[in-house]
């Protein structure tokens, strides 16, 4: 499976600021996704990062709050904008491997965000 | 849209016993059902998956069964070991026919295996 890294691994931020999380894959992948996992909870899909076009957001998530970039087949960023304590979560990227089953997802290590 | 229910939310077993976790889904178009294991502070790891053209799949001590008619699938772990202790998530997606195949996750089961 692909090797997926995320930066930063964790951060503590002040409310009202923004944080950009990077997701890097060691091989080209078809699909990249961003999830949120609140403490002790399940995984919720934020959006699908589309290469060369705007991300596709799930209900309850908007581009102004979570802008996403995907400039190529191995890299994506998620920005958490104008943060509040409710944004404290683990943010994970996941990928579907190119040439493999079109629906098998592998997760990055996650970014643990704390907003004060 | 798809809804995935997972039971139980917590499960405690003695080492060597079997553990069973059950999930139901609502969308009959769902055709892919993975299971993830998440240890404390770590990423979810895919441990086994099944597609709708198969009724059962095994990998050593882990097996998954699928009943498409009843729209439920289960994870079976035999001869449990302390290192099986983790949170397990089921998920469902419908791929093909233009769908993005987004995974919808259950709420998770915290499995504790007592030595």
């Amino acid at each position: 499976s692909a090797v997926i890294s995320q930066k930063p691994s964790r951060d503590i931020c002040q409310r009202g600021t923004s944080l950009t999380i990077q997701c890097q894959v060691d091989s080209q992948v078809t699909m990249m996704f961003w999830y949120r996992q609140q403490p002790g909870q399940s995984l919720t899909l934020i959006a699908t990062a589309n290469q060369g076009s705007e991300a596709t957001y799930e209900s309850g998530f908007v581009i102004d709050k979570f802008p996403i970039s995907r400039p190529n087949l191995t890299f994506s960023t998620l920005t958490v904008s104008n943060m509040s304590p409710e944004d404290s979560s683990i943010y994970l990227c996941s990928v579907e491997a190119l040439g493999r089953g079109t629906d098998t997802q592998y997760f990055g290590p996650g970014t643990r965000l704390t907003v004060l | 849209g798809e809804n995935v229910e997972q039971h139980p939310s917590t499960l405690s077993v003695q080492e060597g016993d079997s553990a069973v976790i059950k999930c139901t889904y609502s969308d009959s178009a769902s055709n892919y059902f993975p299971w993830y294991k998440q240890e404390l502070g770590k990423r979810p790891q895919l441990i086994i998956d099944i597609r709708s053209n198969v009724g059962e799949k095994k990998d050593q001590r882990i097996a998954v069964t699928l009943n498409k008619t009843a729209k439920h699938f289960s994870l079976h772990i035999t001869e449990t070991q302390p290192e099986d202790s983790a949170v397990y998530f089921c998920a469902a997606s419908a791929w093909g026919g233009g769908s993005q195949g987004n995974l919808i996750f259950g709420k998770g089961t915290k499995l504790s295996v007592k030595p």
Side-chain angles (χ1 to χ4, degrees):
Chain A
S1 61
V3 176
I4 309 163
S5 60
Q6 283 185 235
K7 289 182 182 178
S9 57
R10 58 178 61 222
D11 208 341
I12 300 172
C13 301
Q14 297 297 320
R15 70 169 67 212
T17 63
S18 298
L19 176 72
T20 295
I21 302 167
Q22 299 179 3
C23 179
Q24 179 75 55
V25 193
D26 69 342
S27 58
Q28 293 184 334
V29 294
T30 50
M31 307 285 283
M32 295 181 78
F33 305 90
W34 287 98
Y35 288 83
R36 182 173 73 183
Q37 186 174 30
Q38 294 178 307
Q41 303 295 312
S42 186
L43 297 99
T44 301
L45 180 64
I46 298 171
T48 303
N50 300 308
Q51 195 234 338
S53 65
E54 195 171 282
T56 305
Y57 290 84
E58 296 302 301
S59 176
F61 298 96
V62 295
I63 188 170
D64 290 346
K65 176 67 176 176
F66 297 102
I68 287 171
S69 78
R70 188 172 174 199
N72 56 50
L73 292 176
T74 63
F75 185 79
S76 178
T77 66
L78 168 75
T79 299
V80 186
S81 302
N82 188 25
M83 288 183 285
S84 66
E86 292 72 38
D87 294 320
S88 297
S89 278
I90 298 172
Y91 292 85
L92 300 115
C93 67
S94 77
V95 306
E96 284 183 2
L98 188 68
R100 211 202 178 283
T102 55
D103 41 22
T104 303
Q105 290 188 31
Y106 300 94
F107 285 87
T111 296
R112 183 179 294 271
L113 171 62
T114 302
V115 184
L116 303 177
Chain B
E2 176 65 280
N3 182 51
V4 177
E5 300 280 343
Q6 183 171 348
H7 299 280
S9 56
T10 60
L11 179 60
S12 182
V13 300
Q14 287 294 133
E15 182 177 0
D17 288 350
S18 295
V20 180
I21 302 170
K22 298 182 179 181
C23 289
T24 60
Y25 60 98
S26 60
D27 188 352
S28 57
S30 289
N31 54 16
Y32 175 62
F33 308 93
W35 287 88
Y36 288 84
K37 174 184 179 182
Q38 187 174 32
E39 296 175 66
L40 191 63
K42 298 195 175 179
R43 75 184 80 188
Q45 295 272 15
L46 178 71
I47 57 172
I48 195 167
D49 57 12
I50 192 168
R51 301 177 195 276
S52 59
N53 59 345
V54 175
E56 182 175 358
K57 184 176 178 180
K58 269 188 173 182
D59 183 3
Q60 299 183 351
R61 296 186 297 109
I62 295 173
V64 57
T65 59
L66 170 65
N67 183 326
K68 286 189 296 181
T69 303
K71 289 190 280 189
H72 68 70
F73 56 111
S74 300
L75 177 71
H76 304 253
I77 306 174
T78 59
E79 300 172 25
T80 54
Q81 300 167 4
E83 50 265 38
D84 294 328
S85 296
V87 178
Y88 291 80
F89 293 99
C90 65
S93 74
W95 181 261
S99 165
Q100 289 194 76
N102 295 340
L103 283 177
I104 305 299
F105 284 83
K107 292 189 183 299
T109 297
K110 183 175 182 180
L111 174 64
S112 300
V113 180
K114 298 180 179 179

